[in-house]
């Protein structure tokens, strides 16, 4: 097993799948400054060369000094040379002390305060530390107050004032004891409730349980959020709204002051469960948004109003990334806690720091809050050097950042319909792209808001050798976070690359934009391993069947790869091989999507709206997945498509192509108010009609039918239906299928027909009539199986076809595509991917429409088919003027159903 598959299998399966789908599954071997060395692969996927990539991801903001900065490497080397102990917990640690002192001084130079610094290993750990410290601080403050009030109560009692009413203040007229008892009750109540933490809309503070609660959205499935501390989110950032946002949480308590004359007066103090307010002065992961200085000031006021700590999360925006050491510096607002991480580690160490204003610090916190790797000398020394680098590069960051921003803004101005905005400051920039609106449903599914930034990243990487990724919780924004070492020439290169992408988006040139995906993926496809998300409650349906025209959804898997352009005409220029490569990549990453919708009118009554929904896999992929034992995954994909159909208001779900096969002939689709059909009864009915006509015209001894795929759902019912009309029947199956074929033959004994079982397709040579209905993705009946003098009618019911196209050119063979139907009145709705002559559709699709036209008629194509069901489906088609079509090459002939002499058969069989 190579390292790639180790990552995909044992480390991050889902991420590896996503990277493979987007062709971002690259490996970097080395990094220096703003450049990474990428391992390039040969056609077999083996690394065989190296290429240089300009890195704008910058370690998600951690590489302000690039990769492997020489000054920081030197510090690291010295640590190794000196063999400083990595582990020396519970000792006096000089490195940590020096770093803490330095951070306190640097931040203090702006704020005028002094800080106690708690070191940790990650950004989220600093956030957790702040949550904990604020909690302790909050509780201690309530504890101190409680003690004061208890003393106050004892004092008024001692001094005989307990029952004396207050002379002034909000509690005027009420006695001292009464007021203080009430105050103690309220404090006790507050001490029992959990503290509340405040964060802003679109905030990002990390992904651990507590920090994850403060993070908004963060592109995380709802059930991956652990219930963390109580929190409130501020959606409205206007200063007035912020200041008063939590007023309802405040609780008034009365305190007593006794004047020199011994007269008690009351005063009010407001208490609150709010322990801290968190804010990133520049929000990074939500797409790079500056929080206005007025909002920061309002947050300061809010925190003061609740005696809460104001926490500036400068993990991404601080440490000099915007030029100033503190991104908040320009606002003039001073926080109580500051958080740093990311670039604090200089790109070499994992470290974070929580700075707490020394006046608020609770000393016990530092005794009880531990983290094994915190305070190590290695990380601390590197971080101290990194702080120096940040200060030294401040002017350069401002200068190169402004240049880069201006150049990107020019791109935005040139392509206003592709780029929404360029935001940010210094070297924390974001370029927001608008979501393109391709014509095809397939491309709209490909370009959703989650994937746009990653598709752009692929183009930039493979065409321009520039590495970007989107911001985590706003993936239509591409982050641009280079290092302070960025060269002017790099700025030109970046601007040109963004210009290219914006131009392609603006022109809708998806063929070029996605060209990088048409290279065959390296490594085998791994099916998704994840447990699917719990379903949300179903949206209330505005089902078509209740409001006007009934609506049905017809589900079909995608066509063969070479026909990708049916689903996405925008990609018509791609070769078959390119289409195949893209579908192989994207397999399992696309969700079902609506392809198109049309209305179809009955000849006799009413109309129906048909929504075509694509299940995003091909027949070949479905078969491969079934062989690999991945049926559950396929089924899930189809159920997702069903869900989409239901949410679109369909009263009938039709399962076309492989969607019925992978759901066990529709049985696995369990719905209550919706009819589900595989449409196979009508498919069988059409073929039955065709074969019967042929047999009726054949002489005795000529009525020998070869049936391929008789163990399948359609094949089995065809055998039953045809048996009474023929003299002999050959059931042909794959090697090893004889036993199951014998079971089918067993059921035919009543019809007094000779049944032969064969595992060799050459047995078809003696059959004037051949019917085929297998699930194979590839043709199974080849010319050599049929070549000879005997004339044969071959009816192919399978989609994709079972019969090799070359069979059609055999002189003795008439090849008819079975299971085709003509709509009444030559209606010709166009369904992409269905390449049938005008007015002709697959019978399974027609059965879905017909059920839509008759809301009371039950589905007869759910689970195993029956002869009675097939005939009922035929009668349904008769009632609405849908006629079976006989298609030989390009010739279409329609013949009326043979209803009269056989309509009694239904009763006979049923
Ligand atoms: N806060 C902010 C502002 C961040 O940007 C991040 C990381 N993107 C974090 C906290 C969490 O840091 P970490 O991933 O190291 O836990």
């Amino acid at each position: 097993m190579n390292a790639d598959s180790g990552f995909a299998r044992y480390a991050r399966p889902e991420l590896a799948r996503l990277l493979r789908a987007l062709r971002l599954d690259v490996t970097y071997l080395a990094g220096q400054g703003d450049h990474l060395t990428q391992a390039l692969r040969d056609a077999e996927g083996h690394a065989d060369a190296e290429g240089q990539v300009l890195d704008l991801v910058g370690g998600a903001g951690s590489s302000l000094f690039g990769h492997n900065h020489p000054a920081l490497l030197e510090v690291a080397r010295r640590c190794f040379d000196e063999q400083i102990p990595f582990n020396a917990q519970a000792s006096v640690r000089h490195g940590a002390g020096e770093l803490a002192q330095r951070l306190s001084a640097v931040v203090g130079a702006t704020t005028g305060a002094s800080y106690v610094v708690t070191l940790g290993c990650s950004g989220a750990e600093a956030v957790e530390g702040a949550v904990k410290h604020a909690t302790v601080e909050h509780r201690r403050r309530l504890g101190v107050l409680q003690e004061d009030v208890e003393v106050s109560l004892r004092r008024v009692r001692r001094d005989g004032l307990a029952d004396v009413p207050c002379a002034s203040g909000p509690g005027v007229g009420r006695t001292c004891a009464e007021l203080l008892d009430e105050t103690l009750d309220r404090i006790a109540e507050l001490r029992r409730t959990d503290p509340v933490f405040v964060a802003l809309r679109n905030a990002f503070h990390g992904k651990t349980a507590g920090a994850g609660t403060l993070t908004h959205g963060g592109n995380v499935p709802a059930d991956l959020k652990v219930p963390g501390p109580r929190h409130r989110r501020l959606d409205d950032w206007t200063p007035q709204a912020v200041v008063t946002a939590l007023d309802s949480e405040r609780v008034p308590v009365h305190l007593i002051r006794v004047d020199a004359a011994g007269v008690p007066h009351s005063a009010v103090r407001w208490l609150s469960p709010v322990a801290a307010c968190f804010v990133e002065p520049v929000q990074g992961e939500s797409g790079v948004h500056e929080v206005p200085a007025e909002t920061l000031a309002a947050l300061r006021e809010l925190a003061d109003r609740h005696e809460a700590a104001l926490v500036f999360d400068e993990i991404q925006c601080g440490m000099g990334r915007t030029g100033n050491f503190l991104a908040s510096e320009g606002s003039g607002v001073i926080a109580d806690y500051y958080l740093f991480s990311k670039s604090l580690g200089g790109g070499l160490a994992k470290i974070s720091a929580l700075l707490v204003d020394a006046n608020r610090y609770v000393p016990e916190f530092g005794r009880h809050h531990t983290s094994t790797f915190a305070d190590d000398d290695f990380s601390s020394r590197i971080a101290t050097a990194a702080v120096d680098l940040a200060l030294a590069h401040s002017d350069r960051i401002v200068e190169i950042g402004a240049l880069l921003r201006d150049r990107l803004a020019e791109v935005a101005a040139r392509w206003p319909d592709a780029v929404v905005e360029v935001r940010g400051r210094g070297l924390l920039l974001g370029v927001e792209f608008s979501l393109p609106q391709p014509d095809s449903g397939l491309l709209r599914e490909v370009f959703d808001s989650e994937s746009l930034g990653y598709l752009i990243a692929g183009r930039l990487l493979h065409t321009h050798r520039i590495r970007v990724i989107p911001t985590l919780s706003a993936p239509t924004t591409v982050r641009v976070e280079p290092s302070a070492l960025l060269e002017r020439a790099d700025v030109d290169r970046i601007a040109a690359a963004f210009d290219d992408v914006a131009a392609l988006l603006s022109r809708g040139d998806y063929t070029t934009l996605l060209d990088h995906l048409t290279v065959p993926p390296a490594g085998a496809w791994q099916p998704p391993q994840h447990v699917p998300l719990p379903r949300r409650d179903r949206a209330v349906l505005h089902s078509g069947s209740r409001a006007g025209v009934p609506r049905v959804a017809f589900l079909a898997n995608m066509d063969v790869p070479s026909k990708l352009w049916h689903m996405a005409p925008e990609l018509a220029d791609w070769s078959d091989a390119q289409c195949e490569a893209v579908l192989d990549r994207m397999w399992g990453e696309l969700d079902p999507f609506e392809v198109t919708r049309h209305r179809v009118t009955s000849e006799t009554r009413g109309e129906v709206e048909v929504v075509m929904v694509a299940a995003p896999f091909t027949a070949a992929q479905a078969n491969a997945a079934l062989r690999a034992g991945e049926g559950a995954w396929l089924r899930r994909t189809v159920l997702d498509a069903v869900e989409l159909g239901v949410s679109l208001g369909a009263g009938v779900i039709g399962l076309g192509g492989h969607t019925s096969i992978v759901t066990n002939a529709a049985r696995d689709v369990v719905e209550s108010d919706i009819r589900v059909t595989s449409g196979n009864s009508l498919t069988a009915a059409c073929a039955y009609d065709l074969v019967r006509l042929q047999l009726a015209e054949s002489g005795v001894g000529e009525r020998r039918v070869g049936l391929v795929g008789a163990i399948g759902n359609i094949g089995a019912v065809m055998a039953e239906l045809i048996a009474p009309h023929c003299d002999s029947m050959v059931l042909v199956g794959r090697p090893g299928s004889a036993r199951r074929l014998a079971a089918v033959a067993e059921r035919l004994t009543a019809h007094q027909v000779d049944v032969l079982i064969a595992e060799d397709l050459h047995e078809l040579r003696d059959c004037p009539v051949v019917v085929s209905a297998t699930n194979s993705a590839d043709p199974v009946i080849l010319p050599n199986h049929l070549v000879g003098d005997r004339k044969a009618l071959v009816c192919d019911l399978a989609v994709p076809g079972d019969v090799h196209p070359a069979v059609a050119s055999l002189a003795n063979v008439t090849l008819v595509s079975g299971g085709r139907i003509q709509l009444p009145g030559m209606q010709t709705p166009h369904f992409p991917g269905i390449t049938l002559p005008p007015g002709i559709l697959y019978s399974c699709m027609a059965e879905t429409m017909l059920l839509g036209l008759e809301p009371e008629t039950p589905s007869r194509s759910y689970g195993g088919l029956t002869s009675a069901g097939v005939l009922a489906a035929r009668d349904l088609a008769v009632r609405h003027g849908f006629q079976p079509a006989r298609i030989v090459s390009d010739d279409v002939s329609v013949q009326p159903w043979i209803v009269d002499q056989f309509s009694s058969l239904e009763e006979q069989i049923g």
Side-chain angles (χ1 to χ4, degrees), residues 572-774:
D573 290 345
W574 281 353
S575 68
D576 291 1
Q578 286 181 302
C579 293
E580 198 161 340
V582 168
L583 285 178
D584 188 6
R585 266 185 196 289
M586 289 280 174
W587 186 9
E589 291 308 319
L590 297 175
D591 288 330
F593 56 93
E594 176 179 338
V595 180
T596 187
R597 56 174 76 191
H598 290 293
R599 288 203 178 175
V600 167
T601 311
S602 158
E603 192 177 71
T604 49
R605 56 192 146 118
E607 55 178 345
V608 61
E609 186 174 56
V610 194
V611 183
M612 189 182 192
V613 168
F617 53 77
T618 63
Q621 288 174 333
N623 284 334
L626 286 172
R627 271 198 303 277
E630 295 301 337
W633 173 77
L634 282 171
R635 186 161 45 250
R636 183 73 198 190
T637 308
V638 174
L639 294 180
D640 285 345
V642 169
E643 202 61 29
L644 176 60
V646 171
S647 72
L648 292 171
V652 179
I653 300 284
L655 300 169
H658 271 62
T659 67
S660 68
I661 297 164
V662 304
T663 50
N664 190 16
R667 288 181 194 90
D668 297 340
V669 182
V670 184
E671 294 292 332
S672 36
D673 300 325
I674 285 157
R675 286 165 296 156
V676 179
T677 173
S678 66
N680 287 336
S681 291
L682 196 54
T683 301
C686 287
Y688 172 48
D689 229 55
L690 192 89
V691 170
R692 220 161 20 111
L693 195 69
Q694 179 76 14
L695 292 172
E697 289 168 0
S698 309
V700 177
E702 281 293 296
R703 292 188 302 234
R704 181 177 177 83
V705 176
L707 186 58
V708 184
I711 52 176
N713 204 9
I714 298 182
V717 81
M718 286 305 292
E720 238 175 83
L721 284 163
I722 296 170
H725 303 278
C726 60
D727 311 319
S728 60
M729 195 179 267
V730 188
L731 306 179
V732 192
R734 264 196 233 123
S737 59
R739 211 168 41 82
R740 293 168 71 196
L741 287 172
V744 177
E746 184 71 27
R747 291 200 294 273
L748 304 178
T749 42
H751 298 295
Q752 289 158 2
V753 55
D754 278 346
V755 183
L756 187 86
I757 286 165
E759 294 185 348
D760 180 354
L761 286 153
H762 289 98
E763 295 290 340
L764 296 175
R765 257 188 215 162
D766 294 331
C767 300
V769 176
V770 172
V771 176
S772 191
T774 81

Side-chain angles (χ1 to χ4, degrees), residues 122-124 204-206 280 285 313 315-316 342:
S122 70
F204 190 101
H205 297 292
E280 304 152 84
E285 299 300 344
D313 178 346
I315 286 170
Q316 183 152 196
K342 299 213 184 234

Side-chain angles (χ1 to χ4, degrees), residues 796-814:
D796 188 357
L797 289 182
V799 181
D802 275 347
V803 181
H804 194 280
V807 168
S809 51
L810 294 178
N812 60 318
V813 170
T814 306

Side-chain angles (χ1 to χ4, degrees), residues 170-511:
V172 65
R174 296 174 67 195
T175 69
C176 292
E178 189 189 342
L179 287 174
L180 292 175
D181 277 334
E182 184 186 91
T183 296
L184 285 173
D185 285 348
R186 289 188 178 167
I187 292 172
E189 174 65 29
L190 214 48
R191 289 188 77 178
R192 278 194 297 272
T193 51
D194 287 337
V196 171
F197 296 86
V198 177
L200 293 194
R201 157 175 53 89
N202 294 336
F204 190 101
H205 297 292
K207 299 264 180 101
T208 50
T213 312
L214 303 175
T215 293
H216 186 195
N219 258 354
V220 177
D223 59 343
L224 253 175
K225 290 231 172 195
V226 180
R230 275 215 298 159
H231 74 286
R232 293 280 297 270
R233 181 148 1 263
L234 301 185
D235 289 319
D236 185 347
W237 290 8
T238 52
Q240 193 49 35
V242 168
V243 172
T244 56
L246 292 145
D247 277 2
S248 62
E249 299 276 355
R250 299 205 305 165
V251 183
V253 293
H254 296 279
L255 303 177
I256 304 290
R257 179 181 59 81
V258 181
D259 66 17
V263 178
H265 303 270
S266 81
V268 81
R269 176 164 163 189
W270 291 90
L271 303 182
S272 161
V274 177
C277 306
F278 282 76
V279 57
E280 304 152 84
V282 183
Q283 291 189 329
E285 299 300 344
S286 66
V288 188
H289 291 273
E290 184 100 31
V291 177
E294 307 81 65
T295 304
L296 295 181
L299 283 163
R300 175 73 271 174
E301 207 175 322
L302 172 72
D304 292 343
R305 215 173 159 82
H306 293 263
E307 295 188 62
L310 179 62
V311 184
F312 280 173
D313 178 346
E314 299 239 6
I315 286 170
Q316 183 152 196
C317 60
M319 230 344 249
R321 186 157 278 282
T322 64
N324 294 332
F325 192 83
L326 292 176
S328 54
E329 187 174 324
S331 72
V333 180
I334 293 172
D336 304 307
Y337 302 3
Y338 289 88
L339 313 181
F340 302 98
S341 186
K342 299 213 184 234
S343 290
L344 179 63
L348 293 181
K350 302 172 180 181
I351 186 167
S352 65
L354 153 66
L355 276 64
V356 176
D357 186 325
N359 293 324
R360 308 181 72 120
Y361 186 71
V362 177
E364 283 104 313
F365 180 75
R367 179 143 161 210
H368 298 287
H369 178 78
T370 58
S371 175
T372 301
F373 298 129
D375 298 338
D376 71 293
D377 279 290
F378 178 81
S379 309
S380 301
R381 285 204 209 173
I382 289 171
T384 307
V387 170
D388 291 339
L389 279 182
L391 298 174
H393 283 82
S394 135
D395 291 343
R396 179 163 167 73
I397 290 168
V398 171
E399 187 196 329
I400 196 94
L403 179 70
L404 182 56
R405 191 186 149 127
D406 288 350
R407 298 296 304 278
L408 290 171
E410 282 165 26
V411 173
R414 215 165 17 250
W415 307 107
D417 47 358
V419 182
V420 178
E421 202 179 12
V422 176
R423 289 185 293 266
R425 197 157 35 111
L427 291 172
L428 175 48
L429 301 175
V431 181
E432 184 181 342
F433 287 89
S434 3
L435 209 54
Q437 301 293 333
D439 291 334
S440 67
L442 173 58
L443 278 193
R444 278 200 298 277
E445 166 57 24
V446 170
F447 280 98
D448 66 5
S449 60
E450 302 282 297
S451 60
L452 174 66
Y454 293 97
L455 295 169
I456 291 171
R459 168 84 188 163
L460 288 177
L461 179 64
H462 293 289
T463 310
H464 300 278
R465 318 294 306 146
I466 289 179
R467 172 172 140 85
V468 296
I469 54 168
T471 52
L472 278 182
S473 44
T476 55
T477 297
V478 168
R479 70 164 96 224
V480 180
E481 292 190 63
S483 88
L485 313 177
L486 191 74
E487 306 278 348
R488 281 176 166 267
D490 293 333
V491 174
D492 293 338
R493 206 176 132 192
I494 295 167
F498 274 80
D499 196 75
D500 163 61
V501 166
L504 294 175
L505 280 166
S506 179
R507 296 195 195 112
D509 182 352
Y510 305 114
T511 317

